[in-house]
Amino acid sequence: MFQGGKKGKKAAGEKGKGGKGAGRINGHHQENGMENMMLFEVVRLGRSAMQSVVDDWIESYKHDRDVALLDLINFFIQCSGCKGVVSGEMFRNMQNSEIIRRMTEEFDEDSGDYPLTICQYSIIYDEYMMDTVISLLTGLSDSQVRAFRHTSTLAAMKLMTALVNVALNLSINMDNTQRQYEAERNKIVAKRANDRLELLLQKRKELQENQDEIENMMNAIFKGVFVHRYRDAIAEIRAICIEEIGVWMKLYSDAFLNDSYLKYVGWTMHDKQGEVRLKCLTALQGLYYNRELNLQLCFTLLDSSKHWEYDVAVQAIKLLTLVLNTDEVLTPEDCESVYHLVYSAHRPVAIAAGEFLFKKLFSQREPEEEGAPKRRGRQSPNANLIKTTVFFFLESELHEHAAYLVDSLWECGAELLKDWECMISLLLDDPLPGEEALTDRQETALIEIMLCTVRQAAECHPPVGRGTGKRVMTAKEKKTQLDDRTRMTELFAVALPPLLAKYAVDAEKVTNLLQLPQYFDLEIYTTGRLEKHLESLLRQIREIVEKHTDTEVLEVCSKTYHALCNEEFTIFNRVDIARSQLLDELVDKFNRLLEDFLQEGEEADEDDAYQVLSTLKRITAFHNAHDLSGWDLFTSNFKLLNTGIENGDMPEQIVIHSLQCTHYVILWHLAKSSEGSSRKDDMVTLRKQMRAFCMMCQRYLTNVNTAVKEQAFTILCDLLLIFSHQMVSGGREHLEPLVYSPEDSLQSELLSFILNHVFIDQDDDTNSTDGQQDDEAVKIEALHKRRNLLAAYCKLIIYCVVDMKTGADIFKQYMRYYNDYGDIIKETMSKTRQIDKIQCAKTLILSLQQLFNEMLSELGHGFDRSSSSFCGIKELARRFSLTFGLDQVKTRDAIAMLHKDGIEFAFKDPSTHGDGGPPLNLAFLDILSEFSSKLMRQDKRTVHMYLERFMTFQMALQREDCWLPLISYRNSLQAGGDDDTMSVMSGYSSRGSSIRSKKIKPPAATAGTSAAKRKLPEEESSSSSEVWQQSMQTPVMLPSPHLTSTAMRDPKRGRDDSFMGVYPLPHDQQQPHQHPQHHQQTPQHHQTPMDYKYVCRRGTGLMEEDEEPIVEDVMMSSEGRMDDLNEGMDFDTMDIDLPPSKNRRERSELKPDYFDPASIMDESVRIGLKLL
């Protein structure tokens, strides 16, 4: 307003008179004709409506511009705290600079107070004005009306920015006050002013209280407005939020420049609207200009890169990559924290880290001279970069994850990684003068990386564990793939034979090198006239087979032959001849050695056994990938196995590989039979061989050697599953004669093996040798082997190969071995329930009965029901109950049958003290009551009637402690019988406790389920009645159900009686469903002061930290559409907690912490959490 030069003056004749302008005389407002007041005084007193004051001033301006403008100028001067007044004469005759100088002279320099600062220390702390304004803005920002949301969001964000400035000034003042206080206190006693100390202490306390109030206000705005509107459906509103949060980070970086706030900018960088993304970049750009903030941002981004939310980590790493363009603000330690993310299983994070790594380590290349020939091999510019890659891989000490490293660098460094010519040169050529040769360890790493790059180029998809499925490649990608395969084949077809010759004795290097032909374009051998190199390759493979006995090397040789023996290519005949010659020699040698070995018997020495074993290992490795049906391997191997059973002194490894080889013989015969090309005699032969081999494996289950027993068990499980009744499905009815069902004795032996070799403690595992029991890797490997054994047996249960009741012995171990096998057992229960719900329920109750019988055998019938054993069984029953889910209709018959079997078991054995005593198993009803909540109302009545048929009149009157299980079980059947909707709740929403009152809606699924249940016809209630038909007559003491494999094992073999802690039910499973009409509407809060500790309770979590924004789906919460977005949010929300001043001490002594997450919860919600 104050511009240089004179202000335009109005002619005297143009001055308006009369009208509303007459209400002012000489720029002063005349009220009731008693007092003339300036505009500042009118606003300060607040006696008139602000809109009326503005209207009056506008009308005054229309009638007399000079007078009205003079009044407005004095308004600004006086708002600044200046006591001077600009007169009409000064206004007409003086320049703006002269007026400002005059006002400056009249300004009170000794006082730092003026209206705005006074406001900061008085009005905003009166617990009325700010409370009302924030409450109103929060309510308006949640409106369905776009104009209200837009305007209120802008106002709230600007208000937040002003509060951030106030908070920053308060922090500075607190630091100054603290320094003054420390300086005064450090003076000697004679010069110390105690009154000044008290004054400073009081001022510091006042500043602290004011800062806490500001924090509460900012929390209210941030949680009430920002966290909901930064993902609004309107782009302009989202842009406002992001723009302001950038201002807050720049103004008050100590409080706002951290990952808790940066994540909102990172999320919004994916916004569909460019306007919003621009605000994100502008916000971050402002932080980069300040080096100090840049450093702080880098540290924050480093923390964010470790964030468990992958999208946040990706954006943080990308920003750190951009930081590399600036000064060296990242230390080597900072960079290392990003380097290791190239091994992340989440591909976007790994690729972002790969770009960071490539830019940091590989962007510096040696310059090439212009006109000079392009250097290749060891002399190429990529040579040092490839070495750097090898060094990095070795230093990371993750040698089994080379494929992850290559995949991470592929998008940014494919040109470097596909320089196979340089890699081959580094391995084969001699080092240049002055160049240090690669060590053996570095050569191994380079070969592994080279194999991973070949695989990545040939397959064009991420390694296992990192991909999300195959995607459709573009035409350009397909052409690149074909070109890469052609180039790699041309290079390695020539280089692979010398590489194999150089490293022939190194098993690890050979294993990786022999995998290369699997990715070749085999047609190149013919079109490129490379047949001589193929002959050389086949010779090298043959020599490797003859030199090595390592199983991994032999298997990769077998796979290489399989890849080269492709009938589609002309090289097939050449490779097939070489393979047949090798196999002929191996089989002839094995038969000759075996005959001599069996004739020698006990006189056979170790050298003969080694020769037999090494040859058998080679044949077994090749039989895995090649059909050796032309050689009669079954007879020789079966003879070897039978001799081992009779003599009992056959070496362990020979038996294991013989079992495996015979297994392959059976499978290859079955594969030919499945094709329908085999004769009837072949089917009969296969049937006899399969059954004889199964009997042989069953006999080896009792072998003294654990490894042999495990091999026999695994093969038995595979064969029983393959030759089960399901093999005839899919139009293979001709295989019906091959179906084999295990006898009861075999099922019992298989189950005994599981109980004795799987459900054991780590310390009982006798597989570890050489004092390696304490080695963590050995323990993990042993656990992995036991998990595979259990999974093999559970598959027999799932596919109904063995009786489902045998699963009772598995299910009862669920709690005791939850950490080791909990996932396998739970999945088995789920699959068996899908097959037969009723039989699964009978199996579950049988497992509980077995545990109950074991407890009685150990503790006797007078056991304490508070003992750990009994409580453990109850907890297991509770876990079983949770697996039935919330749909009572689907599990109705299964639950009814479970209660029926449980009641019969409880009353099976009468009391030994006569008719007056309780049945021996009566305490089992206490366990059975865990399933009562799964019964429907009408079924509860039916179960109760069935229970009463077992009870006598005297039992109903008993109240002694020994009868408490019966009493509690009856009560569980009678409680809640009138409400079927209790256990089908889908959860509740706490949105109704927000600052704006909302009408709570019931979950749609709950309402629908309840309505459906009310509409169930009466006929449906009879579906479960069939369960009870055979038992409605008065029963006698029924015989005990058959308990499968109740062999009591030594208690020392199992784990102790301490089970896992009880997992609390989710809150929504503990609260009964409330009909909406039971909730009273919360009164509106627009003019009432509010407590910021309870402001904006919009849901279970206000900050929504655990959710990625879905901008396009966000609308207003008043219709419940925001409820879905708030589901799953955590109560442990983040509050704005201003950092303590650098010299602040014992802040908690001045004021309690108001930023406890519990302070923003609804009281009822907090009570519910305490119950959990």
Side-chain angles (χ1 to χ4, degrees), residues 995-1006:
I995 188 66
R996 295 172 59 250
S997 61
K998 298 189 180 95
K999 188 173 182 179
I1000 300 177
K1001 297 182 180 181
T1006 305

Side-chain angles (χ1 to χ4, degrees), residues 26-282:
N26 295 329
H28 292 183
H29 183 76
Q30 185 177 20
E31 190 175 39
N32 297 329
M34 294 180 63
E35 183 181 1
N36 294 333
M37 288 189 295
M38 301 181 69
L39 180 60
F40 174 77
E41 294 171 339
V42 174
V43 174
R44 184 175 61 84
L45 293 176
R47 295 178 181 177
S48 302
M50 189 58 60
Q51 186 61 46
S52 176
V53 174
V54 174
D55 291 341
D56 287 347
W57 183 87
I58 293 175
E59 289 296 328
S60 175
Y61 181 82
K62 290 179 179 178
H63 290 281
D64 193 336
R65 293 193 304 179
D66 286 348
V67 174
L69 195 55
L70 179 62
D71 201 3
L72 184 60
I73 291 173
N74 280 308
F75 174 79
F76 287 123
I77 295 296
Q78 292 171 343
C79 283
S80 302
C82 181
K83 297 179 180 179
V85 177
V86 180
S87 64
E89 183 180 358
M90 294 169 59
F91 179 67
R92 288 190 298 268
N93 301 323
M94 296 179 63
Q95 298 285 341
N96 284 339
S97 58
E98 295 175 337
I99 295 176
I100 294 174
R101 189 180 304 111
R102 179 72 64 84
M103 294 299 103
T104 303
E105 294 172 354
E106 298 185 14
F107 207 96
D108 184 6
E109 297 180 357
D110 296 334
S111 173
D113 293 338
Y114 52 96
L116 285 181
T117 59
I118 296 173
C119 177
Q120 290 182 11
Y121 294 98
S122 59
I123 299 177
I124 61 175
Y125 306 117
D126 66 355
E127 298 183 355
Y128 179 78
M129 182 191 75
M130 296 300 295
D131 295 11
T132 305
V133 171
I134 293 176
S135 177
L136 176 62
L137 293 177
T138 301
L140 288 175
S141 68
D142 202 26
S143 172
Q144 296 184 30
V145 180
R146 170 178 175 173
F148 281 161
R149 290 203 321 278
H150 196 169
T151 305
S152 58
T153 301
L154 175 61
M157 294 299 97
K158 294 300 182 181
L159 179 59
M160 179 76 168
T161 303
L163 290 175
V164 169
N165 276 297
V166 174
L168 181 60
N169 291 332
L170 285 173
S171 178
I172 295 173
N173 290 335
M174 286 187 64
D175 290 338
N176 294 336
T177 304
Q178 182 67 25
R179 282 195 295 270
Q180 294 175 10
Y181 177 81
E182 295 291 343
E184 190 68 29
R185 192 180 62 174
N186 292 333
K187 293 180 180 179
I188 60 176
V189 179
K191 295 184 178 180
R192 184 185 303 167
N194 292 329
D195 55 345
R196 178 170 173 77
L197 281 176
E198 286 188 20
L199 182 62
L200 290 172
L201 189 60
Q202 180 63 29
K203 185 176 181 181
R204 188 181 68 175
K205 183 177 180 181
E206 180 182 349
L207 291 173
Q208 179 63 57
E209 292 175 352
N210 291 344
Q211 188 179 42
D212 291 338
E213 287 294 325
I214 295 297
E215 289 177 1
N216 291 340
M217 295 175 194
M218 291 192 297
N219 266 329
I221 297 176
F222 191 85
K223 297 175 181 179
V225 180
F226 180 88
V227 297
H228 298 287
R229 298 282 67 82
Y230 88 97
R231 47 200 267 176
D232 195 275
I234 306 303
E236 291 86 346
I237 297 178
R238 302 197 299 271
I240 290 172
C241 294
I242 297 303
E243 182 180 17
E244 293 303 315
I245 197 174
V247 174
W248 307 338
M249 293 176 185
K250 188 174 181 180
L251 285 177
Y252 202 175
S253 59
D254 289 343
F256 290 95
L257 190 54
N258 55 62
D259 57 348
S260 298
Y261 299 96
L262 278 170
K263 66 181 181 184
Y264 294 105
V265 181
W267 281 337
T268 316
M269 289 181 72
H270 295 287
D271 198 285
K272 295 187 300 182
Q273 299 295 326
E275 173 190 359
V276 182
R277 297 196 299 271
L278 180 60
K279 295 295 183 184
C280 297
L281 296 176
T282 304

Side-chain angles (χ1 to χ4, degrees), residues 960-986:
E960 290 82 0
D961 289 347
C962 59
W963 294 93
L964 285 179
L966 177 59
I967 297 173
S968 62
Y969 182 57
R970 292 183 66 192
N971 291 339
S972 69
L973 296 177
Q974 295 171 353
D978 296 332
D979 186 8
D980 284 345
T981 65
M982 180 180 302
S983 61
V984 293
M985 277 193 64
S986 62

Side-chain angles (χ1 to χ4, degrees), residues 741-1020:
S741 298
E743 299 177 354
D744 292 342
S745 60
L746 178 56
Q747 294 187 35
S748 178
E749 288 191 43
L750 291 174
L751 181 59
S752 299
F753 177 87
I754 287 293
L755 296 178
N756 295 325
H757 293 83
V758 173
F759 296 109
I760 58 175
D761 288 329
Q762 288 278 10
D763 296 337
D764 294 335
D765 190 358
T766 58
N767 290 339
S768 300
T769 57
D770 301 330
Q772 295 180 339
Q773 182 65 36
D774 296 333
D775 187 359
E776 193 66 25
V778 174
K779 290 184 177 181
I780 293 175
E781 182 64 27
L783 175 61
H784 180 67
K785 184 184 297 183
R786 293 197 300 272
R787 284 175 58 86
N788 287 337
L789 295 174
L790 178 60
Y793 183 79
C794 288
K795 284 191 290 186
L796 300 181
I797 299 175
I798 293 172
Y799 288 97
C800 302
V801 178
V802 299
D803 191 352
M804 190 180 294
K805 283 189 176 181
T806 60
D809 290 274
I810 306 297
F811 297 161
K812 69 182 182 182
Q813 311 289 348
Y814 180 63
M815 288 289 294
R816 186 171 298 180
Y817 294 93
Y818 181 84
N819 288 337
D820 293 343
Y821 318 116
D823 55 336
I824 299 176
I825 298 175
K826 186 175 182 180
E827 183 65 17
T828 305
M829 285 190 287
S830 175
K831 294 296 184 182
T832 53
R833 184 174 292 114
Q834 295 175 15
I835 297 171
D836 190 338
K837 295 184 178 64
I838 293 180
Q839 190 60 38
C840 177
K842 293 173 73 70
T843 305
L844 290 178
I845 199 67
L846 178 60
S847 65
L848 295 173
Q849 293 169 7
Q850 291 182 12
L851 286 175
F852 188 82
N853 285 333
E854 293 176 8
M855 182 194 66
L856 291 182
S857 301
E858 181 181 354
L859 302 179
H861 291 282
F863 68 91
D864 184 4
R865 285 189 293 114
S866 63
S867 63
S868 60
S869 298
F870 186 77
C871 292
I873 301 175
K874 280 200 67 175
E875 174 62 16
L876 179 60
R878 189 187 72 83
R879 296 290 186 89
F880 284 169
S881 175
L882 293 177
T883 61
F884 283 94
L886 300 176
D887 194 338
Q888 292 177 321
V889 176
K890 289 183 179 180
T891 61
R892 185 178 185 183
D893 293 344
I895 292 294
M897 179 58 71
L898 186 146
H899 280 273
K900 175 181 177 294
D901 287 0
I903 292 172
E904 293 173 357
F905 176 78
F907 290 91
K908 176 173 65 72
D909 297 327
S911 173
T912 56
H913 302 292
D915 297 337
L920 298 181
N921 297 337
L922 187 67
F924 190 78
L925 294 179
D926 205 1
I927 298 171
L928 192 60
S929 62
E930 296 291 339
F931 298 93
S932 298
S933 62
K934 299 299 178 181
L935 285 167
M936 298 181 67
R937 179 186 56 189
Q938 54 267 47
D939 292 342
K940 284 187 177 181
R941 291 195 296 265
T942 306
V943 173
H944 189 267
M945 291 172 57
Y946 188 71
L947 173 66
E948 289 181 340
R949 293 182 178 273
F950 288 86
M951 296 170 53
T952 63
F953 179 74
Q954 290 78 12
M955 289 182 183
L957 301 178
Q958 298 295 336
R959 291 295 182 269
E960 290 82 0
D961 289 347
C962 59
W963 294 93
L964 285 179
L966 177 59
I967 297 173
S968 62
Y969 182 57
R970 292 183 66 192
N971 291 339
S972 69
L973 296 177
Q974 295 171 353
D978 296 332
D979 186 8
D980 284 345
T981 65
M982 180 180 302
S983 61
V984 293
M985 277 193 64
S986 62
Y988 75 98
S989 172
S990 61
R991 295 281 293 177
S993 60
S994 65
I995 188 66
R996 295 172 59 250
S997 61
K998 298 189 180 95
K999 188 173 182 179
I1000 300 177
K1001 297 182 180 181
T1006 305
T1009 306
S1010 303
K1013 290 190 175 183
R1014 287 194 294 269
K1015 294 178 181 179
L1016 281 175
E1018 291 298 330
E1019 299 87 61
E1020 289 192 14

